[in-house]
């Protein structure tokens, strides 16, 4: 969800906000959290390790002195959601593919981003108009004014809502998207815990719901409602004007929707606002799912990165998972591809009954990794045995990864 002001402790309706209201987004096997001036990202690696990093929000729009001015700030949030959110969604997808030994080039990612944005505009902005005009014309003949235009406008809104809900319901049936929705739930639950100033631990975060009132899904619901109202201004114009006008009105609708969301945040339990925001909570029953503990750990790590990048700290006693820098997807893909080839060769050799010489295996192991402990001295019956070293043995390689630590 993208942020408006949020209380952090006590009664959500009365507590004073103490820090910026963090938002975020679910990724492929990961989460990113958005602060005032930077984001934190955390992704689960192919071997179960955690990759994490930070990125400043330094676009021209974000640096502009009007970036937090009413209405303009909604356009900034829309830009950051579409561009930064889509970029990290694509990068997390690249890392997930790299875990299977597949690398996506920068050109493929850029084309995917353009296709995604084009599909969103075509599916949710233009198609409802064309379907509505075609349907009314088929039933009542050529539409010029009066009742016909009114029917086109109402039908367009209904088609847009149906497409939006149907699309979410359809993609939620995918196992991969289902996991993204679980990470979405983990993101919301972690933000809830931060807003109530609770230590960010798995047990604490489990107490909070997966739905959040500042979710981007709720923003999209308000966006659709506002679009139905503003697109009525284009009733009766030529088709090309109606299409172009709808595209140009997208930033205006985003600005108005964000201000409505922000204004209604403190009034959402009051009659009109409660019913206005209720569909957003209903839709989150599709877009958020209960996460497992490993997903919550990823969300905590992303929040720790975002807090650090924005000069803040998590509540005392919070989990601070061990993590590694986010690698380049092509390098990870090459590493995983080499590993899979080696595993396939070993399986083939085993199937054919070919034994790898012990000397070659030991030499390969020696060349591949540093020696972590000295060999024990050999003793024989002809000479006294060397006294055992009282110091504890070095940890076995692969088991010395630091455990998650608790910290501020």
């Amino acid at each position: 969800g993208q942020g408006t002001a949020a209380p952090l402790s006590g009664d959500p309706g009365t507590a004073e906000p103490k820090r910026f209201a963090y938002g975020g987004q679910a990724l492929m096997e990961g989460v990113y959290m958005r602060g005032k001036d930077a984001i934190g990202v955390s992704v689960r690696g192919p071997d179960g390790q955690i990759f994490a990093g930070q990125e400043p929000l330094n676009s021209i729009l974000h640096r502009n002195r009007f970036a937090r001015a009413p209405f303009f700030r909604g356009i900034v949030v829309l830009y950051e959601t579409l561009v930064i959110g889509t970029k990290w969604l694509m990068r997390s997808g690249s890392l997930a593919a790299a875990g299977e030994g597949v690398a996506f080039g920068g050109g493929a990612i850029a084309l995917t981003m353009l296709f995604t944005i084009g599909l969103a505009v075509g599916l949710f902005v233009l198609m409802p108009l064309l379907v509505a005009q075609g349907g009314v014309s088929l039933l009542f003949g050529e539409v010029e004014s009066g009742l016909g235009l009114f029917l086109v406008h109402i039908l367009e809104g209904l088609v847009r809502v149906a497409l939006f809900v149907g699309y979410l319901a359809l993609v939620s049936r995918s196992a991969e998207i289902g996991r993204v929705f679980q990470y979405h739930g983990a993101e919301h639950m972690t933000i809830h815990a931060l807003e109530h100033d609770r230590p960010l631990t798995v047990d604490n975060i489990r107490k909070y719901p997966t739905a959040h009132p500042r979710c981007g899904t709720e923003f999209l619901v308000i966006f659709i409602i506002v679009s139905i109202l503003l697109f009525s201004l284009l009733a009766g114009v030529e088709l090309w004007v109606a299409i172009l006008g709808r595209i140009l009105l997208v930033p205006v609708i985003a600005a108005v929707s964000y201000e409505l969301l922000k204004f209604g945040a403190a009034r959402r339990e009051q009659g009109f606002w409660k019913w206005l925001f209720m569909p957003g909570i209903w839709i989150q029953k599709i877009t958020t799912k209960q996460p497992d503990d490993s997903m919550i750990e990823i969300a905590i790590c992303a929040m720790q990165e975002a807090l650090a990048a924005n000069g803040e700290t998590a509540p005392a006693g919070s989990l601070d998972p061990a993590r590694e820098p986010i690698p380049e997807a092509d390098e990870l893909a090459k590493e995983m591809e080499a590993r899979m080839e080696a595993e396939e060769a070993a399986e083939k050799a085993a199937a054919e009954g070919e034994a790898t010489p012990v000397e070659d295996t030991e030499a390969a192991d020696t060349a591949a990794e540093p020696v972590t402990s000295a060999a024990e001295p050999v003793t024989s019956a002809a000479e006294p045995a060397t006294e055992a070293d009282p110091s504890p043995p070095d940890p076995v390689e692969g088991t010395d990864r630091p455990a998650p630590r608790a910290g501020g």
Side-chain angles (χ1 to χ4, degrees):
Q2 298 295 337
T4 59
L8 299 185
S9 62
D11 180 359
T14 59
E16 292 296 325
K18 297 180 181 178
R19 66 168 100 231
F20 180 83
Y22 281 72
Q25 180 177 314
L27 306 174
M28 296 293 291
E29 295 300 323
V31 170
Y32 95 68
M33 296 291 189
R34 176 184 179 275
K36 182 178 180 181
D37 296 309
I39 66 170
V41 183
S42 180
V43 180
R44 182 70 68 180
D47 293 327
Q49 72 272 54
I50 298 177
F51 297 135
Q54 305 169 3
E55 180 180 313
L57 297 172
N58 57 3
S59 67
I60 295 176
L61 280 177
H62 192 85
R63 295 196 307 267
N64 192 288
R65 62 193 180 113
F66 297 110
R68 291 175 179 83
F71 295 101
F72 191 84
R73 58 194 172 192
I75 299 174
V76 175
V77 169
L78 178 65
Y79 166 82
E80 291 176 347
T81 300
L82 289 177
V83 176
I84 299 176
T86 303
K87 180 186 76 172
W88 276 104
L89 186 62
M90 294 297 102
R91 186 170 180 187
S92 66
S94 296
L95 290 172
E100 302 295 328
V102 179
F104 290 144
I109 294 176
L111 288 175
T112 302
M113 289 179 64
L114 290 175
F115 174 78
T116 301
I117 294 173
L119 178 64
V121 173
L123 186 62
F124 300 115
V125 177
L126 303 184
M127 182 179 286
L129 170 66
L130 299 178
V131 170
Q133 286 196 344
V136 173
S137 297
L138 184 63
L139 294 174
F140 302 102
E142 185 175 354
V143 178
E144 295 182 355
S145 61
L147 179 61
L149 291 177
F150 176 76
L151 290 175
V152 168
H153 183 63
I154 295 300
L155 183 57
E156 179 186 356
L158 293 175
V159 170
R160 184 170 292 112
V161 171
L163 282 173
F164 177 64
V165 176
Y167 173 80
L168 292 177
L170 180 63
V171 299
S172 68
R173 300 175 65 86
S174 161
E176 291 79 6
I177 300 301
R179 288 186 62 81
V180 172
F181 288 170
Q182 286 182 282
Y183 278 106
H184 193 192
E187 172 226 326
H188 285 176
M189 294 162 74
T190 302
I191 292 173
H192 275 302
L194 182 71
E195 289 174 345
H196 289 84
D197 204 26
R198 299 292 297 164
L200 303 182
T201 65
V202 173
D203 288 342
N204 281 339
I205 289 171
R206 278 273 173 222
K207 301 172 184 176
Y208 294 96
T210 59
H212 195 284
R214 292 186 290 107
C215 176
T217 305
E218 191 160 285
F219 173 79
L220 290 177
V221 171
I222 302 299
F223 184 97
I224 290 175
I225 294 173
V226 173
S227 71
I228 293 173
L229 298 175
L230 291 186
F231 287 166
S232 65
L233 301 175
L234 299 172
V237 301
E238 296 287 336
L239 180 61
W240 71 270
V241 176
I243 293 174
L244 180 61
R246 278 160 172 75
I247 295 174
L248 294 178
L249 277 175
V250 167
V252 178
I253 295 169
V256 174
S257 301
Y258 185 82
E259 294 306 316
L260 283 173
L261 195 64
K262 189 174 180 65
F263 181 79
R267 302 167 177 81
R268 59 180 307 114
E269 295 305 320
Q270 300 175 9
F272 169 77
W273 298 103
K274 181 177 181 178
W275 287 106
L276 180 65
F277 293 140
M278 190 61 70
I281 299 297
W282 293 340
I283 295 296
Q284 288 184 64
K285 293 184 181 296
I286 300 176
T287 63
T288 64
K289 305 294 182 185
Q290 275 292 334
D292 61 36
D293 289 353
S294 68
M295 295 172 176
I296 295 177
E297 184 184 32
I298 289 290
I300 293 174
C301 186
M303 182 61 80
Q304 288 279 16
E305 290 287 332
L307 289 167
N310 288 277
E312 297 188 59
T313 57
S318 294
L319 181 69
D320 195 7
R323 47 198 180 267
E324 305 171 15
I326 299 176
E328 293 297 327
D330 56 348
E331 295 178 2
L332 181 61
K334 291 177 183 178
E335 176 186 339
M336 297 304 298
E337 184 179 13
R339 182 191 299 183
M340 287 187 289
E341 289 176 353
E343 291 174 351
E344 289 175 2
E347 291 175 0
K348 183 178 179 181
E352 294 174 354
E354 297 177 2
T356 304
V358 174
E359 294 80 9
D360 291 348
T361 303
E362 292 177 349
D365 290 342
T366 303
E369 59 188 19
V371 177
T372 58
S373 62
E376 294 181 1
V378 178
T379 62
S380 67
E383 59 185 30
T386 303
E387 183 176 351
D389 185 356
S391 62
D394 290 339
V396 178
E397 185 172 351
T399 64
D400 56 349
R401 185 184 302 278
R405 62 185 184 276

